[in-house]
Amino acid sequence: MKSPLRFSPLVLSALRRHRLRTWLTILSVLIAFLLFGLLQALNQAFYGGIKSAGRRILVSMSAESLVEPLPRAYAAEVAAMKQVRRVAYEVWMGGYYQHHNQILYALAVSPRRWLAEERRFLILAPRRESAWLKDRSGALIGNLVARTYGWKTGEIVPMRSDIWIHPDGRNTWPVRIDGIFSSTKKALGEGLLVHYRYWNDGMGNPNNVSLLRIEVSHLRDLGHVARSIDARFANSPYPTRTASAQTFIKDFINQTADIGVIIEDILAAVFFTMLLVTANTLTRSVRERSGEIAVLQTQGYSRPLIFSLILAEALVLVMVGALAGIGLAALIVQGLRGALEAYLPYLALTRQAILMALGLALGFAALSSLLPVLQVQRLRTVDALRRG
Amino acid sequence: MSSVPPPAIQMTEVSKHYRRGDETVHVLDHFTLTVEPEAFVALMAPSGSGKSTLLNLVGGLDRPDSGRIEIAGTDLATLNEAALTRWRARNLGFIFQLYYLIPVLSAARNVELPLLLLPLSREERHRRVEAALTLAGLPAERHRFRPTELSGGQQQRVAIARAIVTDPPLLLCDEPTGDLDRSAGDEILNLLQTLNERLRKTIVMVTHDPHAATFASRRIDLDKGLVGERRPAT
Ligand SMILES: Nc1ncnc2c1ncn2[C@@H]1O[C@H](COP(=O)(O)OP(=O)(O)O)[C@@H](O)[C@H]1O
Ligand SMILES: [Mg+2]
């Protein structure tokens, strides 16, 4: 009976006055929220992986020193622990090209496991992947390395190492480039990956690793697993020091943060434009209706009520556009997910992003009605009636 | 409580001036006026002499510089902005020269607007809207028409229906026939007469048109704050 909805014809009448203007305004809101949705999904594609997996990862290294290796057998032992999902290991090659200052960020890894973990951050043709998997002395390199040294697929590169010397005294580790990948992770783009077996065979099978990367099943197990690992190997000749990978992840996020900054800049510009358009529409609409608004006041409509009606008008304008924009973004993301599964597995419009969009919409509706409300506040009823 | 009802309008020594640049325009200067309940008064004066100003003061849309305005015994000076707004919703109907209907709403929706402020069910609102429009003489098949689909006279009927739909005792009309031709204007004036005689509405109409003034039961000539009153030669 006293539902505020009884004013809805009045609110809608304000929007129906200039249909074209109303639709164009809604369109501008729609575009803003469509972009918001798409960019949030892209953001999720870049950071989602880190956020979900990165937080559950522990890094185990020698407790003695940074360069001291650990036995590779630890990997299997740790993997057998209940709360551990999987374990990867790597050897820090300490590689360089011709001079010591031409550093190559080279890792010896278990190729299948490494690809399984990092594939979502890579753009690499499947046939390059399989070429590398088959080629024991082959390497995958990031596009940044390839660009720095002008290396091409198929080339053989004489990598040297400061740390690892063959039993015969050579320090060269020639590798054939089987593939060049681009990556959403800057650090990967600077990387060079070789087979663990290539290193192990070259060193005469010491069966060591530089570190273990341990993914736990549940975030809540992180501390417990770290302590159990260190306790387990405390009295062995190779005690471990295990910690969350958060610190590494933070570095990584800092390196890629420019994507986030760009997204924020674009959105700020888009939303600012949308705010101008919406505020302008409402301001004009209120100015054109000043006579009608004055007559409502002669009928007993209070100023606060009229302010609420303008706010409702803004809400309808912004909410219709926002819902349509976010809905469209959700459809597009859904459509792209299948196609981009291999490259951007984390591409998604999250519930959080949708809630954020709705919150933003409310905020922008309130902001855009500020000016017209001030206008009405200043409007003197008798003057509005005089103007006609 | 006294058995004699208070005047519908009692203005005592009311002054109102506007400042235009350096110049001060005294629109009302110690103006006094009494309107009895259920009267139909025409305030006659040329354009620019202060008719609208007077009506706005009576309707509490504007405040006087000095003097007192009492409507049915209520001193408007005692009401703040919010109270005045609520008071208008129940006690006044305004009718303007330019109708001020909302163009994209039907006649019925326009008339319903003042009722939205009252605690009425949708059915009750609908019933009152239909009654007011019928009383105002808008043919039933046009109740759902938009203002642009109606003639000027019909639009003014809708505006009158909107003014009477809350059943206020006092109607304030500012040149209600100013935008209409003679015959449409006369129909509106006849309607006002009917509302006065049959529904006992107190009506104050300001106009610069002597012909319109002949429909009222009392005519007051207003000139620069001086009141000259004479019986209309109906
Ligand atoms: N807000 C205002 N500011 C300045 N002058 C005003 C204002 N309102 C009315 N006036 C002046 O007061 C005089 C009376 O105006 P008004 O009451 O509208 O006369 P009427 O309705 O008889 O034509 C006019 O000279 C008008 O210009
Ligand atoms: Mg006037």
Side-chain angles (χ1 to χ4, degrees):
Chain A
M1 212 165 100
K2 259 291 202 178
S3 149
L5 280 180
R6 69 192 186 283
F7 290 109
S8 52
L10 188 55
V11 170
L12 295 181
S13 80
L15 295 168
R16 287 199 337 234
R17 278 186 83 109
H18 286 273
R19 279 159 195 269
L20 182 63
R21 188 171 67 194
T22 297
W23 283 119
L24 287 177
T25 307
I26 288 176
L27 186 68
S28 90
V29 177
L30 185 154
I31 290 171
F33 279 88
L34 173 64
L35 272 174
F36 176 83
L38 292 179
L39 290 175
Q40 283 300 314
L42 204 60
N43 198 46
Q44 172 69 11
F46 287 135
Y47 294 95
I50 309 154
K51 282 178 192 145
S52 62
R55 286 164 63 210
R56 286 188 278 116
I57 284 182
L58 290 168
V59 173
S60 223
M61 291 187 291
S62 164
E64 317 270 283
S65 92
L66 279 175
V67 291
E68 194 74 20
L70 294 173
R72 181 164 60 120
Y74 279 15
E77 273 190 61
V78 171
M81 291 169 70
K82 243 212 317 269
Q83 302 92 333
V84 171
R85 206 160 147 235
R86 57 183 164 193
V87 180
Y89 49 81
E90 59 195 47
V91 172
W92 177 243
M93 290 292 292
Y96 63 95
Y97 183 33
Q98 284 150 332
H99 302 286
H100 281 87
N101 58 359
Q102 294 174 311
I103 295 170
L104 297 171
Y105 296 95
L107 295 177
V109 296
S110 147
R112 279 178 206 287
R113 236 175 281 181
W114 185 83
L115 280 171
E117 192 57 41
E118 307 286 359
R119 187 180 280 120
R120 60 175 180 253
F121 302 113
L122 304 180
I123 298 173
L124 178 66
R127 98 193 130 81
R128 296 282 169 219
E129 250 183 45
S130 43
W132 181 51
L133 285 175
K134 276 178 252 155
D135 181 8
R136 192 181 278 221
S137 62
L140 286 184
I141 64 172
N143 55 345
L144 301 178
V145 191
R147 196 165 36 172
T148 305
Y149 300 109
W151 293 341
K152 303 266 180 305
T153 306
E155 235 175 286
I156 293 181
V157 173
M159 176 169 64
R160 292 163 193 275
S161 172
D162 266 344
I163 315 173
W164 310 115
I165 319 284
H166 291 282
D168 62 10
R170 280 180 305 120
N171 73 341
T172 56
W173 297 83
V175 289
R176 183 182 306 101
I177 296 170
D178 289 325
I180 300 173
F181 57 83
S182 333
S183 174
T184 50
K185 287 188 185 177
K186 186 160 170 280
L188 275 184
E190 291 172 343
L192 185 155
L193 290 310
V194 299
H195 288 229
Y196 174 79
R197 273 199 288 177
Y198 178 55
W199 172 83
N200 202 30
D201 291 352
M203 292 300 293
N205 297 302
N207 290 316
N208 286 336
V209 298
S210 299
L211 59 83
L212 302 177
R213 282 185 194 281
I214 301 131
E215 190 182 333
V216 300
S217 306
H218 300 287
L219 194 55
R220 60 171 185 272
D221 299 329
L222 208 65
H224 169 68
V225 171
R227 283 189 299 276
S228 324
I229 293 171
D230 289 350
R232 182 183 198 111
F233 303 120
N235 298 319
S236 78
Y238 304 100
T240 57
R241 197 171 59 86
T242 306
S244 135
Q246 269 309 349
T247 45
F248 300 89
I249 301 298
K250 280 208 187 98
D251 288 350
F252 166 65
I253 288 183
N254 287 340
Q255 281 172 343
T256 48
D258 32 1
I259 299 171
V261 170
I262 291 169
I263 289 180
E264 271 171 27
D265 285 354
I266 295 175
L267 285 179
V270 168
F271 276 109
F272 184 66
T273 311
M274 179 203 82
L275 185 62
L276 288 186
V277 171
T278 315
N280 178 54
T281 295
L282 288 169
T283 311
R284 276 169 182 241
S285 162
V286 164
R287 194 187 308 134
E288 291 160 4
R289 282 183 293 145
S290 59
E292 286 166 30
I293 290 172
V295 169
L296 287 176
Q297 286 175 316
T298 71
Q299 293 169 20
Y301 280 63
S302 66
R303 264 179 223 270
L305 175 55
I306 288 170
F307 296 160
S308 314
L309 295 173
I310 292 172
L311 184 61
E313 188 181 337
L315 268 177
V316 173
L317 212 53
V318 174
M319 274 300 168
V320 169
L323 290 176
I326 280 291
L328 196 59
L331 283 179
I332 292 175
V333 167
Q334 198 57 40
L336 286 180
R337 261 175 89 99
L340 297 179
E341 179 78 73
Y343 307 109
L344 299 170
Y346 284 93
L347 187 73
L349 196 56
T350 60
R351 183 195 305 257
Q352 212 178 349
I354 292 174
L355 287 178
M356 199 163 138
L358 295 181
L360 272 175
L362 287 177
F364 276 105
L367 264 181
S368 57
S369 57
L370 210 62
L371 222 58
V373 160
L374 282 176
Q375 233 177 325
V376 173
Q377 178 76 56
R378 279 201 308 263
L379 183 78
R380 290 187 64 240
T381 313
V382 287
D383 292 339
L385 292 171
R386 183 172 301 280
R387 256 178 268 135
Chain B
M1 223 176 121
S2 129
S3 58
V4 181
I9 299 172
Q10 178 63 59
M11 298 176 81
T12 313
E13 298 278 311
V14 172
S15 296
K16 180 74 184 176
H17 76 277
Y18 292 109
R19 208 173 293 281
R20 211 181 296 140
D22 290 340
E23 204 188 338
T24 306
V25 188
H26 291 277
V27 183
L28 293 177
D29 194 9
H30 298 279
F31 178 80
T32 296
L33 170 72
T34 308
V35 174
E36 296 309 324
E38 301 177 19
F40 181 1
V41 177
L43 287 170
M44 265 285 296
S47 281
S49 56
K51 302 184 298 294
S52 296
T53 302
L54 178 63
L55 225 48
N56 292 338
L57 289 171
V58 171
L61 297 175
D62 209 352
R63 302 272 191 186
D65 301 332
S66 63
R68 198 144 76 133
I69 304 171
E70 287 158 288
I71 311 293
T74 302
D75 184 350
L76 296 190
T78 63
L79 302 178
N80 67 14
E81 208 54 44
L84 208 48
T85 305
R86 279 195 300 276
W87 170 81
R88 270 201 297 272
R90 301 233 174 221
N91 296 284
L92 279 189
F94 272 97
I95 295 158
F96 301 95
Q97 177 178 355
L98 297 174
Y99 331 128
Y100 289 114
L101 300 172
I102 294 182
V104 295
L105 290 183
S106 70
R109 285 281 193 209
N110 268 287
V111 174
E112 189 187 17
L113 292 176
L115 291 181
L116 297 177
L117 302 172
L118 305 178
L120 301 172
S121 68
R122 180 199 281 266
E123 294 69 32
E124 179 61 15
R125 291 202 303 265
H126 180 76
R127 205 185 57 71
R128 292 199 191 187
V129 166
E130 292 304 312
L133 278 169
T134 305
L135 198 62
L138 188 72
E141 70 276 8
R142 309 218 152 186
H143 290 188
R144 297 276 143 198
F145 280 30
R146 290 187 179 186
T148 45
E149 298 161 334
L150 300 172
S151 71
Q154 286 170 334
Q155 290 185 54
Q156 191 59 296
R157 287 180 191 277
V158 176
I160 290 171
R162 182 180 63 187
I164 61 173
V165 75
T166 53
D167 200 21
L170 178 59
L171 297 181
L172 302 177
C173 314
D174 193 343
E175 314 244 15
T177 58
D179 241 32
L180 300 174
D181 60 32
R182 173 64 76 96
S183 76
D186 284 359
E187 286 181 29
I188 293 299
L189 291 162
N190 279 320
L191 172 58
L192 290 178
Q193 260 183 346
T194 309
L195 293 176
N196 171 244
E197 286 163 10
R198 300 242 313 269
L199 299 185
R200 310 207 166 280
K201 302 286 178 205
T202 307
I203 299 180
V204 176
M205 173 176 75
V206 301
T207 178
H208 67 270
D209 174 12
H211 171 73
T214 60
F215 287 77
S217 51
R218 181 179 159 207
R219 168 175 158 174
I220 298 170
D221 287 319
L222 168 75
D223 190 27
K224 304 246 172 189
L226 294 172
V227 199
E229 193 178 339
R230 68 175 177 210
R231 289 278 148 201
T234 338

